Structure formats: C-alpha cells, structure tokens
Amino acid sequence: MGIGFGLFSSPNSNAIMSSVERRYLGIASGVVGTMRMVGQMMSMGIAMMLLALYIGVQKITPETYHGLMHSMKTGFMIFSILCILGIFASLARSNGIKTKAGVAKISDENDSKKTGKCSL
C-alpha cells in the first residue's frame, strides 16, 4: 500500500468529498470506503487466481519459484494496466466535475454589501 496509496488516497478522497453536498457526506464516505474495500478484495482475488494458475495447490518451494515469479510478473502487468486505466479515469473525472472550491468566487466587501449575499 505504502507511498502510492498515501499520495493518491488523500487528494482523491478530498476531491470526492468536496464535490458532494454537505447532507450527503455520510453516504459519500460510506461509498468511498466500500469501493476501497471492493478494490482491495478484487486485487487479492486476482493475485490468488494467478498463484493458483501458475503454482496450483503445491507449496512454495525452490522447485515452484519459477511459477511464483511468472505469477508475480503477470500480476504486476495486470495491475499496471489497471493503474494506467485509473489515471485516465481520474483525469476524465477532473475535467467534468467542478468542486465547490473550483467554482467559488472570492468577492470583496463591496459585492456582499450591494447584494447582501456572500458568493461561494
């Protein structure tokens, strides 16, 4: 998980939560947590499937290292492709969603005195 998760998770969660109305923050937080868990389960499922395909039910011993290395290489390729697809999905999302901070207009005191409203 490490550095990649740390660099991605915080800004991504911020972008998601910033684009949701205040009354739906609990629901959005639950959906984010659920999607994160589903992603982790899918990753473990793919990893276990690859180990089962390349090694089978054998114990990991020096004789099965070849299959282990092939399953790891295949896993890295699959997960790299998924990460690249995730980058494009994230870039497409950032162009289509305006967050509250993105559309907020900083007004001076004269604007709020004229209209009686604060523009955010």
Side-chain angles (χ1 to χ4, degrees):
M1 301 266 278
I3 294 172
F5 183 76
L7 290 174
F8 173 77
S9 181
S10 179
N12 192 47
S13 294
N14 184 33
I16 293 168
M17 300 308 272
S18 296
S19 65
V20 175
E21 290 181 33
R22 188 172 196 79
R23 62 184 176 159
Y24 296 121
L25 286 177
I27 295 170
S29 177
V31 170
V32 168
T34 302
M35 290 301 111
R36 185 175 291 129
M37 241 341 123
V38 168
Q40 290 172 357
M41 288 187 324
M42 298 267 303
S43 297
M44 288 305 295
I46 292 171
M48 292 298 109
M49 180 189 67
L50 291 172
L51 286 173
L53 287 173
Y54 284 101
I55 297 176
V57 294
Q58 300 173 358
K59 291 184 179 180
I60 297 177
T61 61
E63 291 79 32
T64 59
Y65 284 170
H66 185 70
L68 176 65
M69 292 306 294
H70 276 295
S71 66
M72 289 177 65
K73 287 179 184 178
T74 305
F76 279 121
M77 285 220 240
I78 290 171
F79 293 128
S80 295
I81 291 168
L82 290 173
C83 285
I84 290 169
L85 292 173
I87 289 170
F88 287 118
S90 184
L91 289 173
R93 178 208 63 207
S94 66
N95 290 336
I97 295 177
K98 297 283 187 188
T99 62
K100 292 176 187 173
V103 295
K105 179 182 124 184
I106 299 173
S107 62
D108 59 8
E109 288 182 34
N110 293 333
D111 285 344
S112 61
K113 287 180 183 175
K114 290 177 194 172
T115 60
K117 297 179 183 176
C118 179
S119 59
L120 282 179

